[in-house]
Amino acid sequence: MECQCEFYCDIITRLSSRLMHQFNVKSLEQTCFEVLRDNICPENCIGLWQFTKVWYIPILIQLKYEAFYFICENFEEVSLCEEFLKLTKEELADILDQDDLTVTQESTVYQSVLRWINHMPEERQGAISTLLPKVRLGLMDKSYITDNVLNNDVVKTNPESHLLVTDTLKVMSQPSLLCSESGINNTLFCHRLPNAVLLMFRLNSNTIEAFDYSTNSWITVHNHLIQEDIMTHLCFYNTVFLGRCFYIVGGGLSWTNPSNRVWRFNLVTHTWQEMSPMQESRNSLSVTVLKRCIYTMGGFRNLTSLRTAERYQPNINQWMFIASMNERRSYASCTTLNNKIYICGGQSYRILNTAEYYNPDTNQWTLITPMGTPRSGLGVVAYMGHICAVGGSYGFRPLRSAEAYDPETNTWYDVSEMVHTHSYFGIAVMNRRIFVVSCRRENKFVECYDYTTNTWSVVFSGMNHSEYDEVSCCVISRLPNMAEYCSPREPIIPRTQDMEQFLEEIVDKSQNLVFCERIDG
C-alpha cells in the first residue's frame, strides 16, 4: 500500500499543476484522493500525513486532515507501527497534544513516548522534557506513576521531567494546588475529549441530548438546536450525521401523515437549513450514509410499508430513486459495511426476519440468510466486520436478544442478551463498543456491548421526563467545537490512601537526587 500511496499522491500533485488544470482532469484528481482516503490505515497514515504537509494543494490539504484525524482516532494501533518511529519530535508532540487523542488509558501515550525515544536513545533522550508534558499524568494510577514513570531512567536523568512527575503526585494529595499559583498545568488532570459523541433525539418530546461515553454522562444540548417550526409535533422521523451537519429526514405530524421534508443543522455554525425534499413521503423509515451520500429506505405511507429507496447527494442537493428493496419494510434498521448497505427486519404485513444488502456499483438488492428471530423496531450496526441486529420486538413481545451476521459465511449467530429489553431505541458504535439508548418507564437507559467479553452492561440509568419516548440517535465526530457537545473537562484528582506519607518519601528522594546532582556537577 505504501507504493500505491506514493503513486496516487504523485498523480494528484501532477494533476494539480496549472498546466494539467487546463485539461479538466479534476475528476481523476478526485478519484485519486478518494482512493487514498478510503485506504488510510495504521501502517501508512503517518507517511501520508508527512507527505501532504509540504504541499499547499487544496485536495492534499484535505487529505492531510483525513490522515491526521486517522492518526488521532487510531493512536493505539498507529503507535505500534514502524512509521511511528519516524516521526520528528515536533510531529509527535503535536499528535500527543490533541485533546481528542483516542486512548483507552493514558499510560498508552506514555509508553508510546518511551518506544519512540528508545528507537534512537542517544539522539532522542532529551526530548522527554518536551513530550512528557503532553501526557496526562494526572489520569494515571499512583502506583503506575511511581513504578513506571518516576523510576524510569530517562525521566530520572531529566530534572525538568522528574519535577513534573513529583508535582503531579503532590497535586494528587493536595488538589488545592491546582487553584494556586504553583505553575502546575491543569490539563494533566483533564480527560481527553471523546472522538465521537452520541446525539439523542427524543421524538415525542422533541428534545436533544448528547451522551459522552468517556464520562458516561448526558448533557442537554443548547436550546438553539431546536427550531420550533421544525420540531414541534414532528414524529416518526430519522436522523443521520454527515459532514459537520445532522439531518432530520422524513417523519410527519402523525402516523398517517408522512412527510418528505428534510432539514439540516450545522453543528459548527448552529444554523438550520431546509434541503430538497425526498421523492416520496415516508415515516418510520431507515437512514444511513455511504460514500458521503444519504440513503433512505422503506418506511410507511398510505397504510402500507414501502419497498422504495432513495439516495441524496449533498453536493448537488438532490434526491433520486435507486432500486427498490425485495421486501416492503417499515420500522427496520440499516447500516453500512464493506461499501454495501444492509437492512434488516422491520414489518410489512408481518414482522420480518429477512435481511438484504444494496450494492451501489450494480444498483441491486440481494437477500441474505434470514435472521434467527423476526424483529421490528430493532437496531442494526456494523461492528468488528459483522452486522449486529439488536433488540426490537416480535409482535407485543419486546426482545433482549441480539444476533450477528458474518458476510463471509452468510450466516447468523447468537450474541449475548442485553440486560433490558429495548424497542424503538437509538443504537451506535463508539470507542469499539455498541451503545443502546432507550427512554421508557420514566427511566433513561444506556447499555453497552464489548466484544472482548461478549457481555452487555448498563453504563447509565437515570430519570426520564416522560413515561415513554421513541428515540433516534446519530454519532457526531470530527467537529472543531466538539467540546460543546461533551461533558465539561474539569480537572479530576484521583485520591489514594497514604498519599501524604508517600509524597514525603518522594520529596525527600527528589531533594536528595538534586543535591547529589549538584555535587556531581
Side-chain angles (χ1 to χ4, degrees), residues 95 177 223 300 302 314 328 362 447:
I95 294 170
L177 290 175
N223 290 333
F300 203 77
N302 295 335
R328 297 178 180 271
T362 60
E447 285 193 47

Side-chain angles (χ1 to χ4, degrees), residues 56 176 325 491:
Y56 295 95
S176 60
M325 297 180 291

Side-chain angles (χ1 to χ4, degrees), residues 312-329:
Y312 174 72
Q313 295 177 256
N315 59 330
I316 59 175
N317 189 28
Q318 182 176 329
W319 290 88
M320 63 176 293
F321 280 116
I322 60 173
S324 294
M325 297 180 291
N326 291 286
E327 292 267 18
R328 297 178 180 271
R329 301 179 192 272

Side-chain angles (χ1 to χ4, degrees), residues 121-344:
E122 293 184 2
E123 294 88 341
R124 295 178 173 179
Q125 190 166 348
I128 189 69
S129 60
T130 299
L131 300 176
L132 193 60
K134 309 299 182 183
V135 181
R136 310 277 171 103
L137 293 171
L139 303 181
M140 295 181 183
D141 183 73
K142 179 261 295 185
S143 60
Y144 184 90
I145 294 176
T146 55
D147 295 341
N148 298 282
V149 185
L150 189 68
N151 293 322
N152 180 272
D153 290 338
V154 177
V155 176
K156 285 196 298 186
T157 56
N158 187 288
E160 186 178 347
S161 298
H162 192 271
L163 180 61
L164 177 68
V165 178
T166 56
D167 281 347
T168 300
L169 292 169
K170 287 179 184 178
V171 173
M172 287 182 171
S173 176
Q174 304 175 50
S176 60
L177 290 175
L178 280 179
C179 303
S180 68
E181 298 179 358
S182 61
I184 298 174
N185 186 359
N186 290 13
T187 305
L188 296 176
F189 297 87
C190 294
H191 281 295
R192 295 184 187 270
L193 290 172
N195 67 314
V197 167
L198 187 70
L199 278 190
M200 179 186 73
F201 300 76
R202 295 163 57 184
L203 274 58
N204 293 338
S205 54
N206 291 328
T207 58
I208 304 175
E209 299 175 73
F211 180 72
D212 183 341
Y213 72 78
S214 65
T215 58
N216 285 341
S217 60
W218 288 94
I219 63 168
T220 300
V221 176
H222 301 302
N223 290 333
H224 59 241
L225 285 186
I226 302 174
Q227 185 162 314
E228 291 298 329
D229 59 336
I230 294 175
M231 302 294 290
T232 302
H233 306 304
L234 187 65
C235 58
F236 304 112
Y237 57 84
N238 213 327
T239 57
V240 71
F241 175 76
L242 177 61
R244 294 182 171 183
C245 304
F246 73 73
Y247 291 74
I248 293 177
V249 184
L253 300 181
S254 68
W255 183 64
T256 57
N257 184 22
S259 169
N260 64 349
R261 299 176 72 181
V262 178
W263 291 270
R264 181 175 74 183
F265 182 80
N266 189 308
L267 291 156
V268 178
T269 62
H270 303 154
T271 54
W272 284 99
Q273 182 180 5
E274 184 166 5
M275 313 309 293
S276 292
M278 292 182 291
Q279 298 283 344
E280 188 163 14
S281 297
R282 54 184 88 221
N283 60 32
S284 307
L285 66 163
S286 303
V287 179
T288 192
V289 170
L290 178 63
K291 292 185 176 180
R292 274 69 178 174
C293 291
I294 297 174
Y295 288 79
T296 62
M297 290 140 278
F300 203 77
R301 183 187 178 203
N302 295 335
L303 303 179
T304 303
S305 295
L306 301 172
R307 292 177 55 225
T308 57
E310 307 180 41
R311 178 176 62 234
Y312 174 72
Q313 295 177 256
N315 59 330
I316 59 175
N317 189 28
Q318 182 176 329
W319 290 88
M320 63 176 293
F321 280 116
I322 60 173
S324 294
M325 297 180 291
N326 291 286
E327 292 267 18
R328 297 178 180 271
R329 301 179 192 272
S330 57
Y331 296 103
S333 185
C334 63
T335 189
T336 59
L337 179 66
N338 300 329
N339 292 323
K340 296 180 176 66
I341 297 172
Y342 287 81
I343 188 167
C344 307

